[in-house]
Amino acid sequence: MEKKRLGAIIQGYQVKRKTTFRVNTLKVQIQEVIEILEQNNIEYDTVEWSKEAFILKNVSENEVRNLELYQEGKIYLQNLSSMLPPIVLQPKPEKDILDMAAAPGGKTTQIAAITNNKANITACEMNKIRAERLKYNLEKQGAKAYVMVQDARKIDDFFSFDQILLDAPCSGSGTLSLSNYNEQDEKIAKNFTQKLIQKSIETQTALLKKAINLLKKGEEMVYSTCSILASENEEVIRKILKENTAKNKIEIEPITFEGIEKLPLLPTKIKGTICVLPNEQYEGFFLAKIRKI
């Protein structure tokens, strides 16, 4: 890893990350949220690539949780990077959409909001406790989705989907924040070993293979992780590309959307993919859009 890239990543780990949220348009209009923020003297910045995303300047995450806006499910606390996969996927109404590793539900509820609850969403989560959290968030956000409590690697190939989001389990290397270090960061740091990375790679590869099996021909999926390690990102995709078969042939669809040029990006080893640099607004994040030919 070149010195300049490493320096930028370390700097991104050291800054205190801003509190960000997404407006849940299933329950509230964006202007109403703006008015409530201003009534409570909450300062904010908007985001060029999403009118639903807000960056808070003078309140903490705990203070946001005390707002009725949050308690009523009208906003969802979510890092900006985590909002990108559904935006890149561009989910469509009336389509069959699979969220393969869905809990706690941020991206599932975002897909529901983008499609105005008019897509047929299947949200898969193998852990029963996490699946209950997923169901809770779906209900709180007023989002419609069928929750499948199952290991996504074992979904029957009888099923097929128009669009798939695979936000794969990973090492979490993009989420560390040394400034506001918390229990989650401590857990990641403690378990951040080569063994964890290798286990993540094996899981990611199996999930991606399954996703391609389930994706209808001519359709698209998004592969994402909250990791900045090429071994969990580009190298996983390259392995699958090399194994292209007549039945499951894929290609990379270059990621593009309005405002993408405003993202802080690291270089990637596969053209058309993006890796978000961790900083005070963004967690480190990788995204690739894949089309099944």
Side-chain angles (χ1 to χ4, degrees), residues 171 176 181-192 196:
S171 65
L176 285 172
Y181 204 72
N182 57 34
E183 287 183 10
Q184 182 180 347
D185 292 315
E186 186 177 349
K187 184 178 179 181
I188 293 171
K190 183 179 179 181
N191 296 289
F192 191 74
L196 170 65

Side-chain angles (χ1 to χ4, degrees), residues 154-174:
K154 298 179 181 179
I155 296 176
D156 196 309
D157 287 341
F158 167 81
F159 294 99
S160 62
F161 297 88
D162 301 298
Q163 297 179 290
I164 297 176
L165 173 58
L166 171 53
D167 186 48
C170 69
S171 65
S173 63

Side-chain angles (χ1 to χ4, degrees), residues 53 91 101 130 186 193 261 266:
R130 286 173 58 82
E186 186 177 349
T193 62
E261 68 281 355
L266 291 164

Side-chain angles (χ1 to χ4, degrees), residues 17-35:
R17 207 154 280 144
K18 299 281 189 181
T19 298
T20 57
F21 72 80
R22 171 177 53 82
V23 175
N24 176 20
T25 52
L26 292 172
K27 284 195 168 185
V28 68
Q29 298 295 315
I30 295 171
Q31 186 56 40
E32 183 182 338
V33 173
I34 290 173
E35 290 172 2

